[in-house]
């Protein structure tokens, strides 16, 4: 992380008896693309709104660029926000929307303001749209207007409240890439709130995974995916097969476990996450297991099972394979490479797994 | 057969069911609005000869209505009083509508709106009489103020003049102004107000730049709803207006019923209608940019 721009110190927020934020402590760096990820009701939007100044905090401190934001109203904070609904002013044109916040810039004349607005529109790919009525725009265009309107003020932090959730999938993926490019271009700290783990993984430098008003894990996307701090994080991020496991032997080098359906494995200390509570469970991502085709040699352990279900995605196929000794079939994914047949329900499958990719939660 | 088929299809179509739905109201409106208006228009071009009406076309009534200073004065006074009533009503209604929309919890809003309609529970006439009781020389207001020692002599500028008409009408039309403004305020997406603050505006400037422009359709509706009927009001000026509070409608009534000059009364009525429509159209035209909504 670069120089910390935002510091959250033990932030608590109560709504009456409801404890919405339970001691949030984090530092967000200058120029960072930071995501708050969690299911709805986890407090991520509340946290964003406390940074924006729309919500006060019950205790703790929010520091922005070293300055305590206590009692600083939203209109005096160096933050700007892209709202989930975009909040485009329906009575104003696109240019008037984008230039809304420039009214107080007494140092600029009308011509300079017009140029700034045009530049901002160009930046988000809406050059020439200035004269249009705001209500005549599509969802994606409104999104861009909201971005231009916030970025034109050159805030220290741009806050994005689920900005892509209203867009269709293709548009969303395109905007993800554009947002990353835009963030690199302007160099402003972005804080994104999202419930979409894929979106967070794609876009962020670092992610704070939140559950019930607390940060469960704060790390970069790869660590969060590969080394989730708890079973709950592992379950929320991506797909994870959880299989009951039994610890047979513990030594300094690691543990020997018996994983239901798969068999024995020796895991080293780095693969073990403690504190999940209800007994030991092995976690395997779908892409860490493969099916063994005729004539291939196995790169790991092999177990035999029966294909219960096939979900075809075009580039990928997800197989649900029933293994002996466990109730829930394991889910694994295969790329549909050229010349590789998609197997059918009822076929016998030979599943290859690798002890090195197993996570143990105990 | 083909023709029968076609009529059969027509009676089952959406257009037919639409027509059937609107026709009772449409007939009613034609009978009670269009026909009387057409009659008034026709009569205004005729002449009264004591007991019978001369039906030859003439513009004499209009010439008299427009040249006689008394009528002009009454017309101007009606416009002024109506304008004052409209201004007072809308300016006082806005804060009430704003309060209910922004500061009353959603579960209690309908209760508040219900309470606002309480004045309608009694007849309009009774309400006007009540204002007489309140504003009179020995009325509630004067005796209270005297009792409290604020004034030595009863105030006389509050009854039997234009002020009394404005006070009474503003009260009578308040709910008509509050409701459309309330509806317009309710429709404002609250995140727009946050967006405005986020972009550096404080509460006052947010109100001026976002809330007020977006509430304008409601304000325009309130202005029209109050202005148009008050100009033609004649009960209130008659009861609380005194000699200097009379309005054009009182004169129209006098012409029709007392002076037995229906054509002149009709001409005055037509002139009043034309003026109200013109002012209303100009007003709507001036606020056009607030009224074009999303399609």
């Amino acid at each position: 992380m670069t120089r910390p721009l935002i510091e959250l110190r033990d932030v608590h927020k109560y709504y009456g008896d409801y404890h919405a934020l339970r001691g949030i402590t984090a530092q967000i760096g200058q120029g960072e693309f930071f995501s708050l990820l969690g299911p709805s009701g986890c407090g991520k939007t509340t946290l964003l709104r406390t940074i924006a100044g729309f919500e006060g905090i019950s205790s703790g401190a929010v520091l922005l660029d070293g300055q305590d934001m206590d009692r600083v109203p939203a209109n005096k904070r160096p933050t700007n926000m892209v709202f989930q609904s975009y909040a485009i002013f329906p009575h104003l044109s696109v240019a008037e929307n984008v230039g809304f916040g420039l009214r107080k810039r007494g140092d600029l004349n009308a011509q300079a303001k017009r140029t700034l607005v045009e530049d901002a529109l160009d930046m988000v790919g809406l050059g020439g749209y200035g004269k249009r009525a705001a209500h005549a725009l599509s969802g994606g265009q409104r999104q861009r207007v909201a971005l231009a309107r916030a970025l034109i003020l050159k805030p220290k932090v741009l806050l994005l409240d689920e900005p892509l959730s209203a867009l269709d999938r293709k548009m969303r993926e395109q905007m993800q890439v554009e947002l990353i490019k835009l963030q690199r271009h302007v160099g402003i700290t972005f804080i994104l709130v999202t419930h979409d783990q894929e979106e967070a993984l794609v876009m962020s430098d670092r992610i704070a995974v939140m559950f019930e008003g607390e940060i469960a894990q704060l790390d970069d996307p790869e660590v969060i995916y590969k080394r989730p701090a708890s079973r709950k994080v592992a379950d929320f991020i991506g797909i994870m097969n959880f299989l009951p496991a039994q610890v047979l032997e513990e030594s300094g080098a690691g543990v020997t476990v018996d994983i239901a359906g798969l068999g024995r494995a020796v895991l080293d200390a780095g693969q073990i996450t403690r504190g999940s509570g209800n007994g030991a469970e092995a976690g395997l991502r779908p892409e860490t297991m493969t099916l063994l085709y005729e004539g291939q040699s196995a790169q790991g352990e092999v177990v035999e099972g029966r294909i219960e279900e096939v979900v075809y995605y075009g580039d990928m196929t997800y197989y649900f394979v029933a293994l002996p000794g466990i109730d829930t079939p394991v889910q694994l994914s295969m790329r549909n490479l050229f010349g590789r047949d998609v197997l059918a329900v009822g076929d016998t499958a030979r599943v290859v797994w690798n002890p090195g990719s197993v996570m143990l939660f105990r | 057969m083909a023709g029968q088929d076609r009529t059969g299809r027509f009676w089952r179509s959406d257009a037919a069911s639409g027509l059937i739905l609107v026709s009772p109201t449409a007939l009613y409106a034609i009978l009670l609005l269009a026909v009387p208006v057409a009659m008034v228009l026709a009569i205004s071009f005729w002449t009264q000869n004591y007991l019978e009406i001369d039906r030859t076309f003439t513009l004499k009534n209009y010439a008299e209505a427009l040249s006689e200073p008394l009528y002009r004065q009454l017309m101007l006074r009606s416009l002024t009083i109506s304008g004052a009533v409209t201004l007072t009503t809308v300016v006082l209604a806005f804060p009430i509508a704003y309060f209910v929309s922004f500061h009353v919890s959603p579960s209690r809003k309908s209760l508040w709106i219900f309470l606002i309609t309480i004045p309608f529970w009694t007849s309009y006439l009774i309400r006007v009489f009540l204002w007489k009781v309140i504003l009179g020389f020995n009325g509630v207001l004067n005796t209270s103020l005297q009792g409290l020692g604020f004034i030595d002599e009863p105030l006389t500028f509050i009854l039997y003049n234009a002020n009394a008409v404005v006070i009474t009408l503003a009260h009578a039309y308040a709910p008509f102004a509050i409701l459309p403004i309330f509806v317009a305020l309710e429709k404002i997406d609250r995140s727009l107000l946050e967006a405005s603050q986020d972009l550096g505006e404080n509460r006052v400037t947010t109100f001026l730049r976002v809330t007020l422009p977006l509430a304008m359709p409601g304000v325009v509706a309130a202005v029209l709803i109050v202005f148009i009927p008050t100009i033609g009001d004649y009960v209130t000026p008659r009861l609380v207006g005194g000699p200097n509070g009379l309005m054009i409608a009182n004169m129209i009534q006098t012409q029709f019923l007392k002076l037995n000059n229906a054509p002149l009364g009709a001409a005055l009525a037509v002139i009043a209608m034309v003026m109200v429509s013109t002012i209303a159209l100009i007003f709507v035209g001036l606020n056009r940019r607030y009224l074009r909504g999303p399609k």
Side-chain angles (χ1 to χ4, degrees):
Chain A
M1 191 182 63
T2 49
R3 180 176 73 89
L5 182 69
I6 295 178
E7 258 195 273
L8 304 169
R9 288 187 192 156
D10 196 28
V11 174
H12 286 266
K13 169 80 184 172
Y14 287 88
Y15 291 105
D17 288 339
Y18 180 62
H19 201 171
L21 298 177
R22 300 163 181 248
I24 303 287
T25 299
Q27 294 191 336
I28 301 167
Q30 162 63 43
E32 195 175 7
F33 201 128
F34 191 88
S35 289
L36 298 168
L37 172 66
S40 50
C42 72
K44 55 192 192 300
T45 297
T46 306
L47 184 57
L48 193 79
R49 290 170 59 82
T50 62
I51 297 171
F54 296 131
E55 308 272 357
I57 55 176
S58 306
S59 70
V62 175
L63 276 76
L64 232 155
D65 215 3
Q67 247 194 318
D68 193 340
M69 286 290 120
D70 187 33
R71 284 163 204 282
V72 179
N75 55 327
K76 299 269 196 286
R77 293 194 186 191
T79 58
N80 283 116
M81 183 133 154
V82 174
F83 291 81
Q84 187 170 14
S85 63
Y86 310 142
I88 303 295
F89 301 116
H91 57 301
L92 301 177
S93 71
V94 169
E96 285 167 332
N97 261 286
V98 174
F100 191 90
L102 293 178
R103 185 182 68 89
K104 291 202 167 158
R105 292 284 302 275
D107 53 318
L108 299 171
N109 61 24
Q111 181 56 45
K113 285 180 185 175
R114 258 199 301 280
T115 316
L116 272 180
V117 169
E118 273 163 31
D119 291 349
L121 281 172
D122 280 340
M123 180 177 69
V124 297
L126 283 181
Y129 277 69
K131 287 216 170 64
R132 297 220 186 164
H135 57 72
L137 298 177
S138 70
Q141 289 167 336
R142 284 161 167 266
Q143 156 96 65
R144 288 158 197 262
V145 172
L147 265 173
R149 184 177 72 180
L151 286 173
I152 198 171
L153 300 175
K154 305 218 164 28
K156 285 180 180 154
V157 185
L158 183 75
L159 307 168
L160 302 117
D161 185 8
E162 308 231 4
L164 307 177
S165 58
L167 303 178
D168 62 59
R169 190 190 170 105
K170 194 141 198 167
M171 195 68 181
R172 195 162 64 230
E173 283 170 359
Q174 188 189 334
M175 280 306 293
Q176 286 174 358
V177 176
E178 280 190 44
L179 269 177
I180 298 169
K181 280 192 193 157
L182 195 63
Q183 197 262 343
R184 294 212 180 109
H185 173 69
V186 294
I188 291 171
T189 305
F190 278 31
I191 303 180
L192 172 82
V193 159
T194 181
H195 63 264
D196 182 341
Q197 38 102 6
E198 198 179 315
E199 190 170 295
L201 291 174
V202 168
M203 297 172 76
S204 326
D205 294 323
R206 286 192 312 152
I207 299 172
V209 183
M210 289 180 69
F211 295 116
E212 284 151 17
E214 284 175 302
I215 295 181
Q217 188 172 8
L218 201 168
D219 260 311
D220 58 56
E222 201 176 338
V223 175
I224 286 196
Y225 189 79
K226 286 191 170 162
R227 299 273 316 124
S230 66
R231 187 193 185 282
K232 207 166 174 188
V233 174
D235 194 21
F236 187 71
I237 308 287
I239 300 166
M240 181 77 86
N241 295 293
F242 289 103
L243 306 175
Q246 208 182 346
V247 179
L248 299 176
E249 199 188 318
E250 244 178 305
S251 72
V255 295
T256 309
V257 287
D258 184 29
I259 304 168
L262 295 180
R264 283 187 182 206
V266 179
L267 309 178
D268 66 35
Q271 289 171 265
I272 299 165
T273 305
R274 289 185 177 272
S276 74
N278 49 346
E281 276 180 299
L284 286 98
R285 297 278 187 203
E287 69 276 10
T288 63
M289 293 180 281
T290 51
L291 294 180
L292 191 65
Y293 285 82
E294 284 299 320
Q296 281 181 324
S297 59
Q299 306 282 319
E301 312 286 321
V302 182
V303 285
E304 215 161 81
R306 183 177 169 280
I307 295 180
E308 294 280 307
E309 206 172 322
V310 177
V311 183
Y312 181 72
Y313 273 95
D315 58 336
M316 308 272 286
T317 304
Y318 278 82
Y319 295 98
F320 292 79
V321 183
L323 297 176
I326 48 171
D327 303 332
T328 344
V330 296
Q331 188 178 357
L332 62 90
S333 62
M334 293 289 286
R335 295 197 59 80
N336 292 330
L337 299 178
F338 177 74
R340 183 184 278 176
D341 292 329
V342 173
L343 299 182
V345 173
D347 286 357
T348 302
R350 291 198 292 158
V351 176
V352 183
W353 63 284
N354 209 308
S357 64
V358 173
M359 289 173 237
L360 186 70
F361 300 93
R362 56 183 300 209
Chain B
M1 278 299 147
Q4 230 172 12
D5 233 34
R6 214 169 298 147
T7 40
R9 211 180 302 139
F10 172 76
W11 287 115
R12 282 192 302 272
S13 70
D14 281 351
S17 51
L19 262 174
I20 293 165
L21 273 175
V22 300
S23 51
T25 353
L27 281 174
Y28 194 72
I30 289 169
L31 229 67
L32 284 144
L33 185 76
V35 173
V37 167
M39 270 180 66
V40 166
L41 197 64
I43 294 171
S44 72
F45 294 112
W46 297 340
T47 315
Q48 184 88 37
N49 286 330
Y50 189 50
L51 282 180
E52 63 211 37
I53 280 187
D54 174 4
R55 296 211 161 107
T56 46
F57 178 86
T58 171
L59 287 173
K60 192 171 65 58
N61 297 315
Y62 286 94
E64 193 183 342
L66 292 170
S67 58
E68 177 67 49
L70 173 65
Y71 304 143
R72 213 181 309 152
Q73 193 201 334
L74 277 176
M75 196 68 228
L76 275 177
R77 187 192 290 158
S78 299
L79 287 174
T80 318
I81 290 179
S82 255
V85 170
T86 310
L87 192 73
T88 316
T89 313
V90 173
V91 166
L92 292 179
F94 199 101
I96 298 172
Y98 187 89
F99 174 78
V100 178
S101 179
F102 282 82
H103 296 289
V104 172
S105 76
S107 56
R108 288 176 177 256
K109 279 181 184 171
S110 29
L111 175 69
W112 273 82
I113 293 300
F114 175 70
L115 292 176
I116 284 166
T117 62
I118 281 183
F120 286 125
W121 294 6
T122 52
S123 116
Y124 176 52
L125 217 55
I126 290 174
R127 271 180 282 147
V128 179
F129 272 113
L130 282 174
W131 275 108
K132 261 174 107 144
V133 174
I134 295 169
L135 300 173
F137 191 80
N138 289 318
V140 177
L141 191 66
N142 274 328
T143 45
S144 314
L145 288 175
Q146 271 177 302
L148 292 167
F150 287 117
I151 51 170
D152 298 327
E153 282 173 27
L155 306 170
T156 51
F157 68 88
I158 50 173
L159 189 60
Y160 298 126
N161 54 30
N163 294 335
V165 180
V166 174
I167 293 171
T168 310
L169 285 176
H171 172 247
Y173 281 91
F176 289 118
I178 294 171
L179 289 176
I181 297 172
F182 170 76
V183 170
L185 289 171
E186 279 292 281
K187 282 201 323 199
I188 298 175
D189 178 358
R190 299 303 191 253
S191 68
L192 294 175
L193 310 181
E194 287 189 341
S196 170
Q197 281 182 35
D198 188 59
L199 295 166
E201 300 295 353
N202 59 32
R203 295 175 70 152
V204 177
T205 49
T206 293
F207 175 81
L208 294 175
R209 294 189 73 189
V210 182
T211 316
L212 190 57
L214 289 174
M216 274 316 275
V219 172
V220 169
V223 164
L224 295 179
I225 288 174
V226 177
F227 181 75
I228 294 174
T230 48
I231 240 194
D233 196 281
Y234 83 100
V235 176
T236 309
R238 172 101 203 162
L239 291 177
V240 301
N244 293 323
L246 288 180
M247 291 164 67
I248 193 72
N250 303 103
M251 179 50 75
I252 295 170
Q253 185 213 16
T254 307
Q255 292 292 347
F256 268 96
L257 300 179
K258 290 206 180 127
L259 301 178
N260 189 27
N261 194 348
L264 184 58
L268 287 171
V270 170
I271 291 170
M273 269 193 282
V274 169
M275 291 189 71
V276 171
S277 324
T278 314
I279 292 171
L281 285 175
I282 291 173
F283 184 73
V284 170
L286 287 176
N287 288 290
R288 208 178 43 222
R289 68 198 183 93
Y290 297 117
L291 302 178
R292 50 142 210 240
K295 276 159 215 106

